[in-house]
Amino acid sequence: MDNGSPTRAPATDAGYRRILLVGFMGSGKSTVGPILASRLGWSFLDFDQEIERRAGLPVPEIFRRKGEGVFRELEAGVGKDALGADRAVLAPGGGWPAHPGRMEDAGADTLSVWLQVGPETSVARSRAGGARRPLLEVPDALGMARRLLDEREPYYALARLHLDSEAASPQALAEAILKHLEEAAGAEPAR
Ligand code: S3P
């Protein structure tokens, strides 16, 4: 939802129509996203919430009752719709970018940002948030996180901007992204 005038120079000055926050579970996408969206006066879309709305079930229940395949199909559908959004901050789940072509399809009018997190912090943050991440509800959660991160990092690395999410607060990460937008607005247009 568009909640009013931007409090800073609109990012569209830099040619961006949306911001795509990618990163592993626990990287802060769902925390940084709403802060950023509110600062810009843009909408915020959390893919998992939209998947839950469409399925009428929480994510862990989709995994348990219908299987990961059904979750991934729903996720792909949400992603397709979301990449057409205007003035929106998008937060896909950690698995969405890890398919050939998805990061590239985001296009030059999307500012993609990788919020980097290590496996230890990911597992610790996921545990602190309760049993909401079925992929890490396994005996060797750290081993699983390491394996998934190894597979996914080449995709996350395609993002235009890389930020260390362990070294900064969600507020500071949102500020860093706003600063990047301001700098981009003063430089070459994004397309
Ligand atoms: C997943 C990440 C989760 C959620 C689902 C699968 C993944 O989202 O989409 O549990 O494959 O990494 P977050 O990255 O927001 O935790």
Side-chain angles (χ1 to χ4, degrees), residues 121-144:
T121 302
S122 167
V123 169
R125 287 180 180 172
S126 296
R127 287 210 175 112
R132 289 190 299 107
R133 292 185 172 104
L135 292 180
L136 296 181
E137 295 298 310
V138 292
D140 182 17
L142 188 55
M144 174 65 101

Side-chain angles (χ1 to χ4, degrees), residues 25 29 48 59 63 71-72 75 93-95 133-135 152:
M25 292 175 268
K29 304 176 295 280
D48 281 351
V59 168
F63 270 74
F71 173 81
R72 296 298 173 198
E75 183 179 52
R133 292 185 172 104
L135 292 180
R152 294 174 178 181

